[in-house]
Amino acid sequence: MSARTGRVRILRGREWARPVRPARRELVSALPELEEGRPPLLFVPGFGHGAWAFAEHWLGHTAGRGFPAYAVSLRGHGGSAPAPEATLRAYVHDVTQAAASLPRQAVLVGHGAGALVVAHALARYPARAAVLVAPVLGGWGTLGAALRHNPAGTVPAVFGGPLRLTRRQLFSPDLPDPQARQYVARLGRAGRRAQWQLLAHRAPEPAVGAPPVLVLGSPDDRVVPPAALTRAARRYGSAPLLFPGMGHDLMLDARWPEPIDAILDWLAKA
Amino acid sequence: MSSSTDHGRPDPDATVALAPDGRSVSDRGDTVCVIGAGASGLAALKNLREHGFGVDCYERETGVGGAWNWRHDRSPVYASTHLISSRPFTQFPDFPMPDDWPDYPHHGQLLSYFERYADHFDLRSHIWFGTEVIRVEPVAGDRWDVTTRSTGGYGPERTSRYAAVVIANGHNWSPKLPAYEGLEQFRGEIMHASSYKDATQVRGKRVLVVGGGNTGCDIAVEAAQQASQCWHSTRRGYWYTPKYLLGRPADQVNDGLLAWRVPLAVRRWLHRLVLRLTVGDLTRFGLPRPDHKVYETHPIVNSQLVHYVGHGRIAPVPDVARFHGSAVELTDGQQIEPELVVFATGYLPRFEFLDPSLLGDDGAQGQPRLWLNAFAPGHPTLAVVGLVQSDSGLFPLSHWQAVLFARLLRQRVERPERAAAFAAQVTAGAGQRYAGRVVSSSRHVFEVGHTEYLRAVQRALDELEAA
Ligand SMILES: Cc1cc2nc3c(=O)[nH]c(=O)nc-3n(C[C@H](O)[C@H](O)[C@H](O)COP(=O)(O)OP(=O)(O)OC[C@H]3O[C@@H](n4cnc5c(N)ncnc54)[C@H](O)[C@@H]3O)c2cc1C
Ligand SMILES: NC(=O)c1ccc[n+]([C@@H]2O[C@H](COP(=O)([O-])OP(=O)(O)OC[C@H]3O[C@@H](n4cnc5c(N)ncnc54)[C@H](OP(=O)(O)O)[C@@H]3O)[C@@H](O)[C@H]2O)c1
């Protein structure tokens, strides 16, 4: 799927008439010591996660390799303003706002449901490139996988309660237990409406500017089944890059340097 | 990368051809030329690059932003200018303005928005600042010879050959000045609104403002606060839309209705009703009754004019009949004695570098005959971007014009039959209008309803790209 095949939508009267209300946004960054003209990366965490999830390892590592690195917290997450009634549209707004505020055209990197937010944002902001990490692109398949691996944490979400992710879904056994528990304890929750929209939402509109898109994940991810990874990658005309043995949270798991190095290598070539 | 003080022309290694008259022309191959780095030119530059084209953009000023850089000598913007179209209608569709900005940003914010757009998409390295386009001529193969020189006429002329040209020179800089009997004898000060910069120019004076467009109303409001006396002369009555209606920016309310496809007659009725319930009958204040229906003139969005008329700080008067030595005679026979007259009578488009017939403007009236206000019959590689006066924000319209042109240029290579169908459409549709009935006035030639216009662009894009 690229800008060249989908139909561009010009008229958005309803959106213009009802702009998304601004909400305080947390944007954390790590900048390279030397500005080398590389494109900035904007990391978008998935539901329940905040910018902290990238601040832990990936931001510093990215900056260390010469790329300006930023992470945003979607409203209601991390250090952004509380937003229990947030919608998917509001999250997309947060991402396009953060992207447009950067000094140069950005690469959008979305993790989990953050990848869905990025997929929508690509239709509203001409990203230089996009990376979908363990993408949760929604639909009923997502629910099926979640129910299979974590029925107790998932069922309440169906009724508007919080989605509770478990250590086993998010991390490989390689991550020391106290560390994993600490991460799980930091998880918040997405807005109720956004959670439902994850299941039933319109397919993302075509990306503007036809950016190259990389999909990566782990075949051992207990949130995103391998078939979903392949499907996501096929949508963007490629195959997923796989990191066996890792959990859903590739940016926090024990072997976190591998995927981010692969992303930066790909960018350097793209 | 060129800095804002770089002058000159790109690419020394371009191949050299000869123009029919023997001048040397450097051939820029598939590169597209964009004239002007105001909002419309920047949108063209960014979108053409996004579609893979090389672009040379020429800008006579030393910075981007066009009209919104109020230091530019031709800028029509004055110190107090705020947008009349609210943010969602004014921002580019793929580069939102910061959401913590006000509904109606200040002109300084607009300038910083365009500067950030230029930096974000790395556009400045493709812009040749301080360089004026003085001639654009068609040559064989639908290509164009563009002649430039340093702004102000210094330095040698240079001619380059381009695959396509985008004209984005703006249409709010060349003053439209009506002729009046006796104007030469008038001993007071006169100026066109284009030279009005800030309130110090009216402070303490008796001021007559002529013209009831948004400029005239803004300046009258400023004179109401700063001048010793203010008359506001209009040749008809208008509908003064406040910036906020029903607790929201007026244009957002209107588009809410448009999105539900509420018919025009009902929207008119609602609009009149809201005005009647709030400001009431304006003839009570001595303002003339509008001689047209709501939406039949370019919207005036101004909450303060009526307010100051109500305070007695603005005296509404009819059209000017003639000037005398120290007095101005109005059409109702009244004579007033202003020290300063500001003509806010609008602007006329000007394409001084182009044979007007190329744009179908045979009588050189400043009224091109184009399709979608952008495409000239018989010239498939020429587009004018930004030659629209929208009932809403202009920049999204410029953006989509640019996207449409970029895709057209691409289809000329990839699907020539689609491009040919487009060309036929341009010829058949030249002169089409995209607004409901409007009052006949030179300023309404480019008036478009943004919904109608964008719908037409959407259709054009769909047909161009249809499988
Ligand atoms: C007071 C005022 C307020 C307005 N408010 C709004 C508003 O609220 N919302 C809205 O949407 N619109 C508004 N407008 C309309 C306004 O015209 C547009 O917003 C906008 O400035 C048009 O952008 P542009 O790029 O088409 O033209 P311009 O901004 O005029 O830019 C044209 C550029 O081309 C350059 N140029 C011209 N000729 C040449 C040449 N021969 N060679 C090289 N360079 C050249 C100029 O130097 C300039 O930089 C307002 C206009 C005025 C006068
Ligand atoms: N954001 C803002 O705050 C803002 C501010 C100013 C301008 N603008 C925009 O800039 C553009 C230009 O606006 P503008 O106000 O400068 O010009 P304009 O819209 O063309 O208005 C010109 C005014 O002068 C009158 N007029 C023209 N010729 C006349 C004549 N010979 N005798 C008497 N009256 C005459 C017109 O009357 P008719 O009704 O008969 O045509 C009209 O009232 C518009 O798109 C406007 O929306 C925006």
Side-chain angles (χ1 to χ4, degrees), chain B residues 35-41 58-61 63 65-68 72 74 76-78 81-85 90 131-134 168-173 215 347 352-353 385-386 392-395 398:
Chain B
I35 304 171
S40 301
Y58 297 109
E59 168 53 58
R60 62 185 297 282
E61 297 283 354
W68 294 95
H72 287 171
R74 288 173 172 181
V77 160
Y78 31 87
T81 308
H82 278 260
L83 286 179
I84 48 167
S85 47
T90 314
T131 307
E132 195 169 20
V133 170
I134 54 169
N169 65 333
H171 65 276
N172 280 330
W173 55 269
T215 306
Y347 299 85
E352 71 280 42
F353 44 77
V385 169
S392 173
L394 169 71
F395 315 122
S398 296

Side-chain angles (χ1 to χ4, degrees), chain B residues 255-271:
Chain B
D255 261 59
L257 298 174
L258 279 171
W260 292 104
R261 303 221 175 209
V262 174
L264 179 62
V266 178
R267 282 189 293 124
R268 275 201 176 117
W269 174 81
L270 271 172
H271 200 117

Side-chain angles (χ1 to χ4, degrees), chain A residues 4 8 17 37-38 48 50-51 54 63 79 81 86 101 114 118 144 159 167 172 185 207 209 228 239:
Chain A
R4 310 193 57 164
V8 172
R38 298 230 167 88
F54 291 104
S101 77
V118 164
F159 299 97
R167 183 216 186 290
S172 67

Side-chain angles (χ1 to χ4, degrees), chain B residues 68 78 81-85 172 176 178 180 210-216 218 235-236 238 243 297-299 319 344-347 389 439-441 443-444:
Chain B
W68 294 95
Y78 31 87
T81 308
H82 278 260
L83 286 179
I84 48 167
S85 47
N172 280 330
K176 176 191 171 198
Y180 294 98
V210 181
N214 283 298
T215 306
D218 275 358
R235 59 180 177 186
R236 65 181 90 247
Y238 296 101
K243 284 202 155 166
T297 44
H298 179 66
D319 206 4
T345 41
Y347 299 85
Q389 175 157 275
V439 166
S440 151
S441 173
R443 67 186 180 129
H444 287 144

